[in-house]
Amino acid sequence: MQMENKAILIYDGSCPLCRGARNWLVKRAKDNALTTVACQSAEDRCALDAESAERCHRAMCLLLPDGSMHSGVEALPHLMRRLKRWRWLGRMIAFPGVNLAARGVYAVVSRNRYLISRLLGLPAHQACCCGARQDQP
């Protein structure tokens, strides 16, 4: 598989909310624009250093083809560019007031993602293996 033009989304494979978000993103991704890997296996697959691996456990991360990594809200504009019909949201997040609000919302959701998953009734385990590449929904 050709990876040089794909961004790699690194997400928490043990979190039902994160898996749901990953599935939503994969369904909307442009062809050959995105691949995904659970953070539980990202250290091996992406050769992440300890600091980058820790970032990936706290928030979703996007590793771009140029080698740069963005996490949390900073990853959203880059991620939205890779989705069909969602590029506008990436531009919107760049506005100062929107960006500040998005950071706050993301921080709260990220810290409480397991609680939110339970409150939404999302299943704790799905039939995906966190160590396997998650290219297909």
Side-chain angles (χ1 to χ4, degrees):
M1 176 188 303
Q2 217 174 13
M3 295 292 287
E4 61 269 2
N5 293 324
K6 286 189 176 189
I8 302 171
L9 175 68
I10 306 170
Y11 67 101
D12 183 352
S14 64
C15 167
L17 185 65
C18 303
R19 288 192 310 260
R22 176 239 166 243
N23 291 342
W24 187 90
L25 291 164
V26 166
K27 287 178 185 175
R28 287 154 182 82
K30 296 175 184 175
D31 292 338
N32 299 315
L34 185 67
T35 191
T36 64
V37 64
C39 64
Q40 291 78 1
S41 64
E43 291 90 347
D44 296 331
R45 291 181 172 270
C46 302
L48 299 176
D49 59 40
E51 182 182 331
S52 296
E54 178 58 32
R55 280 174 54 192
C56 292
H57 285 279
R58 286 192 313 265
M60 66 132 189
C61 292
L62 192 66
L63 182 60
L64 298 178
D66 67 5
S68 62
M69 183 181 288
H70 303 273
S71 62
V73 171
E74 289 76 27
L76 290 177
H78 301 282
L79 185 56
M80 293 299 128
R81 273 186 242 137
R82 289 165 170 74
L83 303 181
K84 298 170 190 161
R85 296 184 293 273
W86 287 90
R87 189 177 201 134
W88 64 270
L89 185 58
R91 289 187 198 125
M92 188 176 195
I93 290 171
F95 289 118
V98 176
N99 186 275
L100 184 62
R103 286 174 189 264
V105 170
Y106 190 95
V108 170
V109 170
S110 180
R111 278 193 310 271
N112 297 291
R113 63 188 183 267
Y114 290 98
L115 174 63
I116 293 167
S117 295
R118 282 192 306 273
L119 292 173
L120 292 174
L122 298 175
H125 299 285
Q126 291 182 345
C128 76
C129 172
C130 294
R133 175 179 271 113
Q134 302 290 313
D135 288 53
Q136 301 300 319

